[in-house]
């Protein structure tokens, strides 16, 4: 478990579509060509909100102001680390750390949610209770299906191994479910791994190594990731360690094998971990190395890690494959989900009916060759597309230097914005302002001079009262894909996830605008920017079915 772990000044001029056309026809002889539609400019200089056919795109009026429309949250209390989902009879079983005693009491347990498509969720309550077996707090770990009955609890038993902490000592315990992952019981001979005298010794991730016919564990051990093997999930043998002293505390490790560009003849192992990148100009997040696992130790292809997400809020991520696929398909792609929060301000968020941030949208990840190097590429899971309503599409929108350009306005609580930016635009920088209203907004921008995408929220509604880490600009290199930069932005009530150039770069951040504010605008600096395409799609609200209590 991890536990210590712009719009500078809007020029408010009314600019109609006809005025924009006239302006550019006379000044730079470039026409503004819009797609179909008859939107006209409003008094605020923006186009009217998109028409919404029904309330399916608006959150219920009795929901709290910041309750997400399409992201998973508990009904109340505290949530944090994801636990890797498992598939049983076509249903994904997902667990996350949960504390019903927050903020007056400490400790976490495993909360249980299910889904058939990784977008629509049902809650089932607590799967593993805290403080029940005398070994303390139930923390992060992983669950597996013991298809071969290696542990002796029966074919298909669900085995969860996680860290328990008692009086500061971390041990690894085993819990068993024989009802399909709904409730677990403690193994009578816990802990299955006693602490060897190490202060930080936690977050076991278990995978089956089919090449060697054994279970493989990665364990976070301070500045080291330890590798262990077992024939039966009970007896574990230490093999080696992977050490880094430039990334702070290592937490929530992961290890998996993937094919490069979908070619099963070319595979690499990926070692991922939660870490702190302050020495590299980053914050906490999930980073990874590609390399080789030989049964004894992990060897990296490159000493420098890569980041699965360059935003401020994507931590404790887990990945998993789909066992319904054939071997080649399973090697070619996986799913990933992370905790959208940051320990620098995790307990300071302004939600009052639940706490701890939200779970990210589920992503599909692939290992692709990018500039000759294998790199994880992320895109929103395909099922998210089914939430999209009718899109408003425009083409060749020219954004003039230091002026406000009319854009269609989202009316839905959550939406998806896809934009293609002409990388050869005359501007130095373009900025999209999202969740705008009441003088507050968040910014997604592209800097043409240094080829970076950046995210800024120092103007959102809570920025002034948050720690410095919240107000810091998050940016990362994003070279143009040919002659365009493509942004795919998922906007919800408390989060913005930006997928750049097909997911070669992702920036995920929490954001808190004025309640109900959802304005959208764009500015260009140092010249004009061409938006080759602009597509705005409302997202249907996804209420979570709640069956379980505390």
């Amino acid at each position: 478990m991890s536990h210590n772990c712009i719009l500078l000044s809007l020029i408010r001029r009314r600019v109609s579509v006809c005025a924009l056309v006239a302006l550019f026809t006379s000044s730079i002889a470039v026409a503004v060509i819009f797609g179909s539609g008859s939107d006209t400019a409003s008094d605020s200089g923006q186009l009217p909100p998109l028409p919404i056919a029904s309330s399916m795109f608006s959150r219920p009026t009795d929901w709290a102001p910041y309750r997400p429309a399409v992201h998973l949250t508990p009904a109340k209390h505290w949530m944090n680390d994801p636990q890797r989902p498992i598939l049983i009879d076509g249903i994904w079983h997902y667990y996350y750390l949960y504390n019903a005693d927050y903020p007056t009491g400490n400790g976490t347990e495993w909360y249980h949610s299910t889904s058939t498509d990784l977008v629509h969720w049902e809650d089932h309550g607590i799967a593993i209770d805290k403080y029940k077996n005398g070994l303390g707090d139930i923390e992060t770990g992983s669950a597996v299906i013991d298809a071969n009955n290696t542990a002796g609890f029966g074919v298909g038993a669900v085995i969860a191994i996680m860290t328990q902490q008692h009086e500061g000592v971390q041990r690894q315990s085993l819990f068993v479910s024989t009802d399909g992952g709904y409730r677990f019981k403690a193994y009578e001979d816990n802990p299955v791994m006693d602490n060897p005298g190490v202060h930080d010794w936690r977050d076991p991730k278990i995978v089956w190594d089919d090449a060697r016919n054994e279970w493989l564990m990665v364990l976070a051990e301070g500045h080291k990731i330890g590798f262990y093997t077992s024939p039966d999930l009970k007896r574990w043998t230490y093999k080696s360690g992977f050490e880094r002293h430039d990334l702070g505390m290592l937490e929530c490790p992961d290890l998996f094998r993937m094919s490069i560009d979908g070619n099963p003849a070319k595979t690499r192992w990926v070692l991922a971990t939660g870490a702190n990148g302050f020495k590299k100009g980053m914050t906490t997040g999930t980073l990874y190395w590609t390399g080789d696992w030989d049964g004894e130790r992990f060897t990296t292809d490159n000493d420098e890690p890569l980041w699965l997400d360059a935003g401020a809020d994507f931590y404790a991520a887990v990945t998993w494959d789909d066992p319904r696929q054939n071997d080649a398909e399973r090697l070619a792609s996986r799913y990933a989900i992370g905790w959208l929060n940051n320990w620098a301000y995790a307990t300071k968020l302004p939600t009052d009916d639940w706490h701890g941030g939200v779970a990210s949208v589920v992503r599909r990840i692939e290992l692709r060759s990018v500039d000759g190097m294998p790199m994880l590429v992320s895109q929103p899971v395909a099922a998210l597309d089914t939430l999209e309503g009718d899109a408003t599409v425009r083409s060749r929108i020219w954004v003039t230097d230091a002026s406000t350009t009319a854009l269609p306005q989202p009316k839905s609580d959550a939406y998806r914005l896809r934009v293609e930016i002409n990388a050869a635009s005359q501007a130095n920088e373009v900025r999209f302002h999202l969740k705008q209203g009441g003088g507050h907004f968040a910014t997604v921008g592209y800097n043409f001079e240094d080829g970076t995408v950046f995210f800024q929220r120092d103007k959102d509604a809570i920025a002034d009262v948050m720690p410095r880490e919240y107000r810091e600009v998050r940016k990362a290199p994003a070279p143009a894909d040919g002659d365009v930069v493509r942004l795919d932005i998922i906007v919800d009530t408390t989060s913005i996830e930006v997928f750049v150039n097909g997911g070669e770069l992702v920036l995920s951040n929490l954001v808190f605008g004025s309640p109900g504010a959802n304005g959208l605008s764009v500015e260009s600096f140092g010249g004009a920017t061409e938006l080759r395409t602009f597509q705005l799609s409302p997202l249907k609200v996804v209420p979570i079915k709640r069956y379980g209590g505390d």
Side-chain angles (χ1 to χ4, degrees):
M1 172 189 173
S2 54
H3 51 108
N4 288 325
C5 326
I6 53 201
L7 182 61
L8 297 176
S9 175
L10 271 175
I11 301 173
R12 299 202 177 273
R13 295 189 300 172
R14 175 174 177 173
V15 183
S16 68
V17 174
C18 293
L20 280 173
V21 174
L23 173 64
F24 280 94
T25 300
S26 61
S27 62
I28 56 175
V30 179
V32 180
I33 305 174
F34 288 131
S36 62
S38 57
D39 297 314
T40 58
S42 69
D43 290 339
S44 65
Q46 304 303 320
L47 296 180
L50 299 176
I52 300 297
S54 73
S55 62
M56 68 178 65
F57 297 97
S58 298
R59 300 175 312 124
T61 56
D62 61 346
W63 281 20
Y66 291 124
R67 176 71 68 178
V70 299
H71 287 74
L72 178 64
T73 53
K76 52 186 176 179
H77 306 312
W78 172 272
M79 73 180 302
N80 60 300
D81 293 8
Q83 314 297 311
R84 182 184 59 205
I86 54 176
L87 187 72
I88 303 175
D89 297 330
I91 298 174
W92 293 107
H93 293 255
Y94 169 61
Y95 310 92
Y96 58 86
L97 297 189
Y98 177 79
N99 180 15
D101 299 318
Y102 180 86
T104 59
N106 198 7
T108 53
E109 50 205 330
W110 278 25
Y111 200 91
H112 181 208
S113 295
T114 60
S115 178
T116 58
D117 63 0
L118 301 172
V119 169
H120 297 82
W121 296 95
E122 300 182 3
D123 272 359
H124 301 279
I126 305 301
I128 304 178
D129 303 281
K130 59 182 175 181
Y131 306 138
K132 293 294 185 180
N133 65 348
L135 292 173
D137 196 10
I138 298 293
E139 300 180 353
T140 285
S142 55
V144 296
I145 299 174
D146 191 8
N148 299 320
N149 194 26
T150 64
F153 297 107
V155 174
V158 181
I159 310 296
I161 298 181
M162 83 290 295
T163 300
Q164 287 196 266
Q165 182 169 206
H166 180 61
E167 296 182 346
V169 179
Q170 298 171 352
R171 304 173 175 91
Q172 316 316 319
S173 290
L174 186 152
F175 285 69
V176 183
S177 173
T178 56
D179 67 352
Y182 288 88
R183 291 290 291 175
F184 290 77
K185 294 181 179 179
Y187 175 48
E188 61 184 9
D189 290 331
N190 277 331
V192 293
M193 298 175 70
D194 209 347
N195 193 297
V198 179
H199 183 269
D200 298 294
W201 202 65
R202 61 178 182 263
D203 308 341
K205 189 63 55 63
I206 315 297
V207 297
W208 177 254
D209 187 349
D210 52 7
R212 299 167 184 87
N213 202 38
E214 62 185 0
W215 295 102
L216 171 60
M217 174 194 289
V218 285
L219 194 66
E221 304 179 12
H223 298 288
K224 182 178 79 171
I225 296 174
F227 299 89
Y228 300 78
T229 60
S230 172
D232 59 5
L233 294 167
K234 301 173 183 175
R235 296 167 293 150
W236 292 92
T237 301
Y238 177 76
K239 292 296 183 178
S240 65
F242 177 84
E243 295 193 43
R244 293 292 295 230
H245 294 274
D246 59 340
L247 295 168
M249 188 74 66
L250 304 181
E251 299 183 304
C252 304
D254 200 357
L255 183 67
F256 49 93
R257 189 165 67 102
M258 296 195 77
S259 59
I260 301 175
D261 299 324
N263 182 355
K266 296 174 59 180
T267 67
R268 304 307 288 154
W269 286 81
V270 179
L271 176 63
T273 185
N276 195 326
F278 70 96
K279 291 184 178 180
K280 302 178 182 297
M282 304 286 283
T283 182
T284 54
T286 300
L287 50 80
Y288 67 94
W289 298 263
T290 61
D292 182 60
W293 168 254
D294 63 4
E296 295 285 335
R297 64 187 66 252
F298 179 81
T299 305
T300 64
D301 294 327
N302 193 307
D303 185 64
E304 278 300 303
L306 299 170
W307 292 79
L308 190 55
D309 193 298
D313 302 305
F314 190 80
Y315 197 65
V318 294
T319 73
W320 67 99
D321 61 18
D322 189 333
R324 295 168 295 192
Q325 297 177 325
N326 61 41
D327 290 344
E329 291 171 331
R330 293 172 67 181
L331 284 171
S333 69
R334 296 173 69 83
Y335 298 113
I337 191 171
W339 181 48
L340 293 188
N341 211 339
N342 188 308
W343 282 114
Y345 43 76
T347 63
K348 303 179 185 300
L349 305 180
T351 56
D352 53 14
D353 53 343
W354 94 100
H355 304 274
V358 305
S360 75
V361 296
V362 175
R363 303 164 184 192
R364 183 173 177 265
I365 61 173
E366 298 176 340
L367 190 61
R368 294 185 194 165
S369 296
V370 179
D371 296 329
M373 298 291 293
M375 186 178 78
L376 291 178
V377 173
S378 307
Q379 297 195 58
V381 66
L384 193 70
D385 298 352
T386 66
L387 302 183
E388 295 186 38
D390 293 339
T392 293
V393 181
R394 302 287 183 263
S395 61
R396 297 196 67 194
I397 300 177
W398 281 91
V399 186
T400 57
D401 185 13
S403 68
T404 303
T405 298
L407 292 176
Q409 295 296 286
K411 184 179 179 181
S412 56
D413 289 306
Y415 62 89
R416 191 169 187 173
L417 174 62
R418 298 177 177 90
V419 181
E420 288 190 348
I421 305 169
N422 184 349
S425 296
Q426 304 166 350
N428 299 326
E429 190 171 277
V430 62
R431 299 178 180 182
F432 296 89
H433 305 292
L434 306 104
K435 305 195 69 64
Q436 190 169 12
H440 301 292
F441 52 87
T443 300
V444 175
Y446 187 75
N447 187 297
F448 296 93
E449 294 184 319
D450 61 13
T452 60
V453 170
F454 61 92
F455 186 95
Q456 196 164 350
R457 57 184 173 184
D458 63 336
K459 299 298 183 183
D460 87 355
I462 69 170
D464 289 346
V465 299
M466 295 296 278
R468 170 184 51 81
E469 291 87 350
Y470 188 87
R471 295 185 296 275
E472 290 177 342
V473 178
R474 301 299 169 192
K475 66 178 182 178
D481 183 6
D483 60 353
V484 299
V485 176
R486 293 177 287 126
L487 304 180
D488 183 359
I489 308 174
I490 309 296
V491 181
D492 205 344
T493 54
T494 58
S495 62
I496 298 175
E497 294 161 271
V498 186
F499 298 80
V500 187
N501 293 338
E504 292 181 4
L505 170 68
V506 190
L507 298 95
S508 297
N509 295 270
L510 294 174
V511 62
F512 293 87
S514 298
N518 212 17
L520 172 64
S521 66
V522 60
E523 279 191 318
S524 182
F525 297 88
T529 297
E530 182 192 23
L531 309 183
R532 289 192 175 178
T533 63
F534 174 98
Q535 179 176 321
L536 184 61
S537 305
L539 294 176
K540 297 175 185 176
V541 178
V542 187
I544 300 165
K545 296 181 180 179
R546 315 278 188 184
Y547 298 123
D550 295 342

